[in-house]
Amino acid sequence: MQTETLLYIILAGIIALLLSFFHYFNKKKSMSRLNMLFAFLRFITVFSVLLLIVNPSFNKVTLFTEKPNLILAVDNSSSIKHLNQKDKALDFIESISQNKDLKSKFNLELYTFGESLSTSDYIDFSENQTNIYKAFTQLNKIYKQTTSPTLLLTDGNQTYGNDYQFVDNRYSQPIFPIILGDTTKYVDLKIQQLNVNKYAYLKNKFPVEAILVYSGDDSVNSNLIVTKGNLPVYSENLNFSKTNSSKILNFNLPANSVGIGQYKITLNPLEQEKNKINNVQNFAVEVINQKTKIAFVSDILHPDLGVLKKSIESNEQRAVSFVGLNDIIDKINDFQLIILYQPNNKFKLLVEALNAQKKNQFIIIGPKTDLDFLNEAYPFFNHQITNQTEDYQAELNRNYGPFLIQDLDFESFPPLLSNYGAVQFSIPFETILNKTFKGVSVGEPLLATFEINSWRQAVLFGENIWQWRAQSFINEKSFKPFDDFIGKLIQYLATNQQKSRLNIEYDSFYKDNNNVIVKAEFFDKNYVFDARESLEIIVVENKSNETKTFPLILKNNYYQVDLSSLPPATYNFVVRAKNDNLSKSGSFQILEYNVEQQFLNADVTKLQKIATNSQGKSYFIDNWQNLIEDLLDDKRFVPIQKSVKKTIPLLDWKYLLAIIALSLGLEWFIRKYNGLI
């Protein structure tokens, strides 16, 4: 308590004492016992009221004991079942969960992981992907400030994600791997990795890269065969030995017919092999008739040019060519889309030709753009000329209609350098991204599209979009989300199809271990996104004609359904709006491939390494009994006594009000009883 507050309390006591004596001890009143009682009660009342006015604060310290956490992270992937470790894993979980000594010392928390971390205690070892690194990243967010030794029950075989053996740099808790799986080395011949382009072009050849690995001491022979249907299209004899244990094969296959071609690559297994599943992989290639050709025209050099080319050509169905101003006019019809980067007066003949032929265009405007020329060349919009620039960030318009857009957290992207000034459109347009300045929308489009009788154009009002691709990689650890965003914009601009009220988005084929996602969007008759519609998808398996119906779930500004439960096969489907007579159909294939079945042993080396690096210890599932004793004896994991200090003002002490009421009540009652009132 502060000295100033203490002085106020003393002063309040003196004032209360003086007032009570002044009222009951004067010339007319004697110092009788009754008056002394009245004076005491009055002192209590006045002093209590003055204390409420001063309102001193008191510190309350509460002591409590905090037990450390014991995290049990269980690998719920199907590789555990494939390695015949399911029963051992469940017995271990049961033993740890029911151990009274561990419960007394730790707060036991159970998590499962596959593709991501889950708090569910339902363990069926059925997940098709394993990402151990991501599981630790998510655990770190929960237990960063606590003492939480972590038991990792896994075979150590990760199918995707960052290498988890270096996770100790981000996860500060001791890790105790319990290793599931056989450590005996078996003779094995497998297809380690298969790299194939998703698309090929008719009458061309597409490359295939196969990485083959042999584990064993003796020299062996095998044969690699690639078949399409029942017909072999490629084969090669191979020799392996202890010193020649891996091969990288590169070969080309012909693309003779349009559509999806399904292939099987088989590495003939050895007789003594234990796991023959990893000797076979399926893959598919979609053969298309032609590439979408896009011309890039610019009078300046800028990093945006290279980045946009990379993003557009990330889809192999598209090819970007940089064409000079003197050459492009004679080649306009060779391209489906022309991108004009910061046009100036030199673009006059080109723009006149493009507008005359109603050629689709993507116009990127920046500080080096000649706005006088632009306003004259394009009567559809007018950009105010101020000769000033400003940095504007982006904000996604979730009601954008022409195609589906995923929010890439645009608000976190660096600003684009744009010309300062209002933009006025003389025709209807749709905004993809709005300009914001210091987090406030300025009511101007940053990226917009418009359409006149199937003639499509887009305008980006800013340069330095190359920084967006870099930021997207920082956010997502991949360029793919940003490239997909640019790809959808290019796909919209490079086609001249009429706008549809029902649009669907899906892949031609999926691997069995990947999520099978179909997205859709539905618009009302004014082409405004309609979130009230009920969409369903009717899926028919080609061979058996078995039909299944699934509802599409509304998610942000689109509908979505996850069909990952479907077995590998070829499917036709129809997406239908229940309340409107609209539907869209398509087809896709699910290729049989389970990455979790490619493993033969536990990855002991990595699990032992993360145990050592994190100051933990590894155990094999058959010898885990010492784990409990080690955890109980480890002096790092002891309960910690903590204190919580709370500052409580006197106003919160309700008993003081009761004292005031009681003292006033007693004073009145006694005076009334003695006839003094």
Side-chain angles (χ1 to χ4, degrees):
M1 186 181 297
Q2 295 181 357
T3 303
E4 184 181 359
T5 304
L6 185 61
L7 292 175
Y8 281 135
I9 293 174
I10 295 172
L11 181 61
I14 294 172
I15 293 173
L17 190 64
L18 291 175
L19 288 175
S20 61
F21 271 80
F22 175 78
H23 191 270
Y24 284 104
F25 301 107
N26 50 46
K27 295 179 180 180
K28 297 181 179 180
K29 297 180 181 179
S30 64
M31 292 221 15
S32 64
R33 290 185 177 181
L34 195 58
N35 282 343
M36 291 180 66
L37 176 60
F38 290 152
F40 173 73
L41 292 174
R42 179 61 59 90
F43 170 78
I44 294 296
T45 301
V46 176
F47 183 64
S48 298
V49 171
L50 292 175
L51 276 181
L52 287 177
I53 295 173
V54 175
N55 191 26
S57 296
F58 301 92
N59 293 326
K60 180 181 179 182
V61 179
T62 304
L63 298 176
F64 67 95
T65 301
E66 183 181 88
K67 294 192 294 184
N69 301 303
L70 181 62
I71 312 303
L72 177 53
V74 180
D75 186 345
N76 197 33
S77 64
S78 59
S79 64
I80 305 300
K81 190 188 300 181
H82 177 65
L83 295 176
N84 298 318
Q85 299 296 309
K86 175 181 177 181
D87 293 336
K88 292 181 179 180
L90 293 175
D91 290 342
F92 172 81
I93 296 168
E94 180 70 18
S95 299
I96 292 295
S97 301
Q98 300 302 323
N99 189 280
K100 294 181 180 179
D101 293 332
L102 288 179
K103 284 185 175 180
S104 175
K105 183 175 181 179
F106 298 97
N107 295 317
L108 183 62
E109 302 288 347
L110 176 63
Y111 294 88
T112 62
F113 65 89
E115 188 172 349
S116 61
L117 190 71
S118 172
T119 56
S120 172
D121 57 359
Y122 179 68
I123 304 171
D124 59 357
F125 304 107
S126 62
E127 297 207 33
N128 294 325
Q129 295 277 16
T130 307
N131 191 339
I132 300 174
Y133 185 91
K134 184 177 180 180
F136 278 117
T137 301
Q138 293 173 317
L139 284 172
N140 187 56
K141 295 178 181 178
I142 305 172
Y143 298 103
K144 188 174 184 178
Q145 304 297 329
T146 64
T147 301
S148 304
T150 303
L151 309 184
L152 178 64
L153 184 63
T154 181
D155 58 8
N157 293 314
Q158 179 170 280
T159 58
Y160 80 106
N162 295 338
D163 193 340
Y164 68 86
Q165 68 177 317
F166 305 109
V167 77
D168 58 286
N169 295 329
R170 307 193 63 161
Y171 191 67
S172 58
Q173 308 293 345
I175 301 172
F176 297 84
I178 295 86
I179 304 171
L180 296 167
D182 194 351
T183 58
T184 305
K185 290 187 176 181
Y186 297 95
V187 173
D188 187 47
L189 192 59
K190 67 178 179 179
I191 303 172
Q192 177 75 25
Q193 188 171 327
L194 188 63
N195 299 319
V196 187
N197 292 334
K198 191 173 183 179
Y199 302 100
Y201 302 99
L202 187 64
K203 304 301 181 183
N204 287 342
K205 290 187 176 182
F206 60 91
V208 178
E209 181 181 69
I211 302 175
L212 314 175
V213 176
Y214 167 67
S215 299
D217 296 328
D218 299 329
S219 296
V220 296
N221 300 319
S222 184
N223 181 252
L224 181 80
I225 301 175
V226 181
T227 56
K228 182 180 182 183
N230 296 322
L231 298 175
V233 293
Y234 180 82
S235 66
E236 184 172 344
N237 294 320
L238 302 168
N239 300 315
F240 295 92
S241 65
K242 185 176 181 179
T243 57
N244 184 25
S245 60
S246 64
K247 291 184 182 296
I248 299 176
L249 295 185
N250 291 282
F251 52 91
N252 297 312
L253 298 179
N256 294 327
S257 58
V258 175
I260 299 173
Q262 188 167 347
Y263 298 82
K264 178 193 287 187
I265 181 169
T266 304
L267 183 61
N268 288 336
L270 307 174
E271 291 183 5
Q272 63 268 42
E273 278 195 69
K274 183 178 179 180
N275 183 6
K276 298 182 180 181
I277 295 175
N278 58 18
N279 292 70
V280 179
Q281 282 200 33
N282 296 298
F283 67 94
V285 175
E286 184 176 359
V287 179
I288 55 179
N289 198 11
Q290 63 179 6
K291 272 189 175 182
T292 299
K293 295 183 178 180
I294 299 153
F296 227 126
V297 185
S298 175
D299 192 43
I300 62 173
L301 296 177
H302 197 280
D304 286 352
L305 305 177
V307 164
L308 287 173
K309 186 178 190 296
K310 280 182 177 290
S311 290
I312 295 169
E313 290 186 340
S314 64
N315 185 330
E316 294 182 10
Q317 297 183 60
R318 305 187 180 104
V320 176
S321 300
F322 291 101
V323 186
L325 279 168
N326 297 327
D327 302 324
I328 184 62
I329 296 179
D330 296 331
K331 298 179 180 179
I332 288 177
N333 293 325
D334 294 341
F335 301 96
Q336 285 76 46
L337 173 65
I338 310 294
I339 302 178
L340 306 180
Y341 190 80
Q342 302 207 40
N344 53 38
N345 193 53
K346 297 178 183 179
F347 286 66
K348 183 177 181 180
L349 294 178
L350 172 59
V351 172
E352 289 176 352
L354 293 174
N355 291 346
Q357 297 185 34
K358 298 190 181 303
K359 199 72 175 180
N360 291 0
Q361 303 168 50
F362 181 17
I363 308 161
I364 300 176
I365 300 173
K368 298 179 181 63
T369 303
D370 187 339
L371 295 181
D372 284 318
F373 161 73
L374 199 73
N375 292 335
E376 181 181 349
Y378 294 96
F380 318 116
F381 63 90
N382 183 275
H383 197 303
Q384 182 184 4
I385 301 174
T386 61
N387 295 322
Q388 298 180 27
T389 59
E390 188 59 81
D391 289 325
Y392 291 107
Q393 287 188 280
E395 179 185 53
L396 179 64
N397 174 24
R398 298 186 182 276
N399 294 319
Y400 180 76
F403 55 88
L404 289 171
I405 298 176
Q406 181 181 351
D407 189 359
L408 306 184
D409 193 16
F410 288 101
E411 295 181 9
S412 71
F413 284 12
L416 298 186
L417 184 61
S418 178
N419 294 288
Y420 181 78
V423 178
Q424 293 182 341
F425 281 84
S426 59
I427 59 172
F429 70 99
E430 300 229 27
T431 300
I432 300 177
L433 300 172
N434 288 303
K435 289 181 179 179
T436 65
F437 183 72
K438 295 184 178 179
V440 179
S441 177
V442 298
E444 296 285 340
L446 184 62
L447 176 60
T449 62
F450 55 91
E451 185 174 342
I452 307 169
N453 296 327
S454 299
W455 179 25
R456 296 177 174 178
Q457 297 194 43
V459 187
L460 175 65
F461 296 95
E463 69 174 21
N464 294 332
I465 197 172
W466 66 270
Q467 297 179 1
W468 284 14
R469 193 170 189 258
Q471 184 64 45
S472 177
F473 184 84
I474 293 173
N475 293 349
E476 305 290 340
K477 303 298 184 290
S478 170
F479 291 117
K480 188 176 186 301
F482 178 80
D483 292 345
D484 287 347
F485 167 70
I486 295 296
K488 289 179 182 179
L489 177 62
I490 296 301
Q491 181 180 2
Y492 167 77
L493 293 173
T495 59
N496 292 85
Q497 298 175 354
Q498 292 288 337
K499 187 185 293 185
S500 172
R501 290 178 56 198
L502 178 62
N503 300 315
I504 56 177
E505 181 181 318
Y506 64 98
D507 290 334
S508 302
F509 56 88
Y510 303 85
K511 280 195 172 182
D512 189 19
N513 60 307
N514 294 333
N515 292 330
V516 182
I517 304 295
V518 177
K519 297 180 181 179
E521 59 180 359
F522 182 82
F523 302 97
D524 60 22
K525 293 182 179 179
N526 293 322
Y527 292 99
V528 176
F529 180 76
D530 190 349
R532 301 167 298 175
E533 183 59 75
S534 296
L535 300 182
E536 65 178 10
I537 184 170
I538 303 166
V539 183
V540 182
E541 201 272 315
N542 273 12
K543 290 185 178 179
S544 64
N545 287 325
E546 182 181 359
T547 301
K548 294 183 179 180
T549 303
F550 303 89
L552 276 78
I553 308 301
L554 181 64
K555 186 176 181 180
N556 297 327
N557 60 333
Y558 59 88
Y559 295 85
Q560 176 179 295
V561 62
D562 188 346
L563 304 176
S564 302
S565 60
L566 295 176
T570 301
Y571 296 91
N572 295 319
F573 69 90
V574 176
V575 176
R576 184 177 65 186
K578 289 184 179 180
N579 302 326
D580 211 321
N581 189 25
L582 287 176
S583 64
K584 277 284 184 71
S585 61
S587 64
F588 60 83
Q589 290 182 5
I590 301 178
L591 305 178
E592 186 172 2
Y593 176 73
N594 191 336
V595 68
E596 295 288 340
Q597 294 181 357
Q598 307 302 307
F599 304 108
L600 194 62
N601 303 99
D603 196 335
V604 178
T605 304
K606 283 188 179 180
L607 292 175
Q608 290 178 338
K609 187 169 184 178
I610 64 168
T612 302
N613 292 345
S614 65
Q615 298 182 351
K617 187 178 179 181
S618 62
Y619 304 82
F620 290 99
I621 188 63
D622 294 328
N623 303 299
W624 64 268
Q625 288 77 7
N626 293 332
L627 170 65
I628 295 178
E629 185 177 345
D630 291 344
L631 289 173
L632 294 176
D633 293 341
D634 199 318
K635 300 302 182 183
R636 293 176 296 174
F637 316 134
V638 294
I640 300 173
Q641 188 177 67
K642 293 186 175 182
S643 63
V644 177
K645 182 180 179 181
K646 293 183 179 180
T647 301
I648 304 174
L650 190 64
L651 282 172
D652 291 345
W653 196 50
K654 299 178 182 179
Y655 296 109
L656 188 60
L657 297 177
I659 291 172
I660 294 173
L662 181 63
S663 61
L664 285 173
L666 282 174
E667 183 181 354
W668 178 86
F669 178 78
I670 295 172
R671 291 184 67 185
K672 182 74 174 179
Y673 182 80
N674 288 279
L676 299 176
I677 298 179

